[in-house]
């Protein structure tokens, strides 16, 4: 039987494929607002949410959204800092962290038997999934949230990082997170270190690159972290855990073809392209999507209706976010890799409200003008060429970086 038809009563109203951030939040929120819905959250791993620390800015969400997310928030700070060779600044704006351990504990307590761990889905259709065991499960709609998947219709750059949670021999002395410390060797990318103070003597230190390809040199990143920790005079007692991130940054794409290739399957999170194109962060989009889904009536939750409304939303959002893709192209094509930090140093000199709207992906036309005007940190000719780069040049660039990733992975 094809994966888009269902005979008789389906096994669930909604099946979520992948129990990561987006689908986990969707299922959790729906079970609070519409407890009569029959949900199934299928996750191939041993826990929901994998191994992450997800952060967001105060301005990314409404007060209501922050309220319902509160049980998942493990750390919060009222400011953060950035450091560049020519600028250090403290930004008095709230920053919050959700851990995957809390995510797993909270969601499994609420969702109970609706969660199925160690359940790998082999194929997905709009209303049916086939598990790796061969079992077929049916629903009124399936929501595919299996994380980022390569697509010929998207050209990406990457924010890649390795994070280590370290217990130190003495208090680190930080009062708030350091979102970017770019006073480090750039190593042919935009490179910075990100530090979250999790307790007086525990820090999460991430060595981060904005790079053309997705390959990760673990040895280099571990050496970089050790060197940074040493420079700060911190002595490590124990490495509590490591986390790896390879986040997509969108440069260009064809959203119509992207959604056509989904063949009617509703997609959430990174799988659906729901993230800030300039940071790869998807928590605020996932929260918005959860609110949207929870506001629908059960009658509106059929596969056709959900796919149509989500596709319309995604394509509208794509057009709203064109400016972020333009900035990415300028960063990746116009700035010499070792000089990309200048773009961020200048950006962090802008007014705080604008920076907040940037992270929330809600820039107004004046913000955009403000970001582009002034003394440009990249050569004007190169910036214009990057802005108007042709689809063919983008495609050959995507080929090159895919080959580079494949050759080294
Ligand atoms: C280490 C790290 C830190 C990050 N930090 C932040 C941050 O601070 N703020 C922020 O907003 N974003 C952050 N991101 C980016 C992004 O928000 C996360 O990647 C987020 O987890 C993406 O959510 P998702 O639901 O799309 O995918 P995921 O959370 O990756 O979930 C996908 C799930 O699908 C499961 N799965 C895959 N295939 C199958 C299958 N065949 N069958 C069943 N299950 C399957 C996976 O096991 C996984 O649990 C971070 C990413 C990483 C990797």
């Amino acid at each position: 039987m094809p994966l888009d038809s269902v005979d008789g009563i389906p096994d669930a109203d909604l099946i979520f494929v992948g129990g990561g951030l987006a689908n986990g939040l969707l299922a959790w929120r729906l079970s609070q607002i519409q407890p009569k819905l029959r949900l199934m959250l299928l996750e191939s791993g041993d826990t929901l949410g994998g191994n992450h620390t997800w952060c967001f800015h105060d301005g990314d969400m409404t007060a209501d959204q922050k309220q319902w997310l509160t049980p998942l928030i493990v750390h919060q700070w009222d400011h953060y800092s950035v450091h560049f060779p020519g600028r250090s600044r403290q930004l008095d704006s709230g920053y919050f962290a959700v851990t995957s351990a809390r995510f797993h504990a909270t969601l499994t307590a609420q969702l109970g038997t609706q969660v199925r761990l160690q359940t790998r889905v082999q194929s997905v259709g709009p209303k049916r999934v086939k598990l790796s065991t061969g079992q077929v499960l049916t629903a009124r709609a399936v929501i595919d949230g299996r994380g980022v998947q390569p697509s010929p219709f998207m050209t990406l750059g990457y924010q890649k990082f390795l994070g280590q949670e370290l217990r130190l021999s003495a208090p680190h002395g930080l009062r708030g997170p350091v979102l970017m410390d770019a006073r480090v060797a750039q190593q042919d990318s935009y490179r910075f270190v990100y530090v979250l103070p999790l307790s007086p003597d525990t820090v999460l230190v991430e060595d981060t690159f904005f790079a053309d390809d997705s390959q990760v040199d673990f040895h280099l990143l571990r050496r970089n972290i050790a060197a940074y920790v040493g420079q700060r005079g911190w002595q490590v007692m124990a490495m509590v855990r490591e986390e790896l991130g390879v986040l997509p940054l969108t440069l260009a794409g064809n959203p119509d073809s992207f959604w056509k290739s989904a063949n009617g399957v509703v997609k959430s999170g990174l799988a659906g392209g729901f993230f800030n194109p300039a940071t790869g962060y998807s928590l605020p989009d996932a929260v918005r999507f959860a609110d949207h889904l929870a506001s629908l009536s059960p009658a509106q939750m059929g596969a056709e209706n959900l796919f149509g409304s989500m596709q319309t939303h995604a394509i509208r959002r794509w057009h709203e976010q064109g400016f972020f893709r333009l900035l990415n192209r300028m960063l990746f094509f116009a700035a010499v890799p070792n000089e990309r930090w200048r773009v961020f140093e200048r950006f962090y000199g802008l007014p705080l409200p604008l920076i907040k709207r940037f992270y929330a992906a809600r820039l107004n036309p004046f913000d955009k003008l403000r970001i582009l005007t002034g003394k440009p940190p990249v050569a004007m000719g190169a910036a214009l060429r990057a802005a108007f780069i042709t689809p063919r040049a983008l495609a050959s660039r995507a080929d090159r970086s895919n080959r580079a990733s494949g050759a080294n992975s």
Side-chain angles (χ1 to χ4, degrees):
M1 187 182 289
L3 282 170
D4 62 352
S5 68
V6 171
D7 282 340
I9 298 174
D11 297 304
D13 290 315
L14 296 173
I15 290 180
F16 296 94
V17 181
L21 180 66
N23 272 355
L25 288 178
L26 283 171
W28 186 52
R29 190 67 183 141
L30 269 179
S31 74
Q32 293 168 346
I33 304 283
Q34 305 204 33
K36 288 199 178 133
L37 283 175
R38 294 178 310 131
L39 310 176
M40 253 188 220
L41 183 56
L42 309 179
E43 166 56 42
S44 57
D46 297 336
T47 58
L48 297 177
N51 173 26
H52 302 305
T53 311
W54 296 291
C55 289
F56 64 96
H57 292 267
D58 202 16
D60 291 353
M61 287 175 208
T62 64
D64 275 355
Q65 289 168 338
K66 230 176 293 153
Q67 174 75 35
W68 70 254
L69 210 60
T70 296
L72 302 180
I73 296 173
V74 179
H75 306 280
Q76 63 185 81
W77 304 270
D78 60 7
H79 71 275
Y80 64 88
S81 309
V82 291
H83 301 289
F84 298 93
R87 182 192 307 282
S88 279
R89 182 174 176 192
Q90 176 177 312
L91 295 104
D92 293 324
S93 176
Y95 198 61
F96 302 83
V98 168
T99 62
S100 43
R102 173 74 66 83
F103 184 85
H104 172 79
T106 311
L107 269 64
T108 46
Q110 165 93 20
L111 292 162
T113 55
Q114 298 181 104
V115 175
R116 294 197 194 179
L117 299 172
Q118 299 175 332
T119 304
R120 173 163 291 280
V121 174
Q122 189 182 307
S123 53
V124 175
K127 297 182 186 177
R128 300 159 63 90
V129 299
K130 187 172 175 192
L131 306 186
S132 56
T133 57
Q135 188 186 1
V136 172
L137 297 168
T138 59
R140 293 185 54 224
V142 168
I143 301 184
D144 179 4
R146 285 176 289 175
V148 69
Q149 292 149 14
S151 163
F153 307 114
M154 293 291 152
T155 308
L156 304 175
Y158 298 92
Q159 176 180 184
K160 51 191 189 182
F161 55 85
L162 181 75
Q164 291 185 339
E165 189 174 322
L166 304 172
R167 202 165 57 248
L168 307 175
S169 61
H172 45 68
L174 291 175
R175 288 189 308 108
V178 177
L179 254 51
M180 287 183 178
D181 189 345
R183 299 168 300 181
V184 290
Q186 293 296 288
Q187 301 177 348
D188 294 328
S189 291
Y190 172 48
R191 176 178 163 236
F192 61 90
V193 180
Y194 170 97
V195 187
L196 288 184
L198 302 177
S199 77
D201 63 354
T202 313
V203 275
L204 175 68
V205 182
E206 292 181 353
D207 195 49
T208 308
F209 290 78
F210 275 36
D212 295 344
D213 62 71
S214 57
Q215 78 206 61
V216 176
D217 182 340
F218 287 91
H219 297 300
L220 175 69
L221 272 68
R222 287 191 183 116
R223 271 202 314 274
N224 284 343
I225 292 175
Y228 183 81
V229 166
Q231 272 162 24
R232 298 217 53 150
W234 294 335
Q235 210 185 345
V236 176
M237 295 297 283
M239 210 247 307
V240 181
R241 54 183 272 278
E242 274 192 339
E243 63 180 64
L244 172 71
V246 181
L247 313 188
L249 307 175
T250 317
L251 304 176
N254 181 335
D256 296 313
S257 301
F258 177 82
W259 283 105
K260 207 164 163 201
S261 70
N263 293 322
V265 176
V266 181
K267 287 174 184 274
S268 67
L270 298 186
F274 297 108
F275 55 88
N276 182 324
T279 63
Y281 275 19
S282 70
L283 178 54
D285 277 291
V287 166
R288 280 193 280 276
F289 194 3
D291 268 350
H292 170 67
L293 198 64
S295 73
L296 300 179
S297 69
Q300 292 172 303
M301 290 192 191
E304 295 82 3
N305 184 60
L306 280 185
F307 184 79
S309 74
M310 189 211 47
Q311 186 183 21
T312 309
H313 166 72
I315 292 177
R316 191 182 59 236
R317 193 98 180 108
W318 174 270
H319 292 298
E320 285 167 5
Q321 293 180 336
F323 183 73
F324 290 88
R325 294 189 296 277
L326 169 74
L327 292 181
N328 283 347
R329 290 201 295 277
M330 288 183 167
L331 181 71
F332 278 92
F333 300 141
V336 179
N338 274 333
E339 300 289 319
R340 285 176 183 165
W341 59 269
R342 293 182 192 282
V343 174
F344 293 88
E345 183 178 273
R346 178 176 175 276
F347 172 76
Y348 276 104
L350 293 170
L352 180 58
L354 185 158
I355 292 171
K356 285 182 170 184
R357 289 193 289 275
F358 176 87
Y359 278 120
R362 284 201 209 97
L363 292 173
N364 65 42
F366 297 109
D367 295 335
K368 294 178 186 173
L369 205 61
R370 188 82 195 262
I371 288 172
L372 289 179
T373 52
K375 188 168 175 288
V378 295
M380 192 45 96
L384 286 172
R385 281 195 298 282
F388 297 109
I389 191 164
T390 62
R392 181 185 290 191
L394 276 169
S396 77
R397 184 191 174 283
D399 269 2
R400 275 200 311 279
S401 69
N402 285 341
R403 272 201 306 275
S405 302
N408 291 287
S409 57

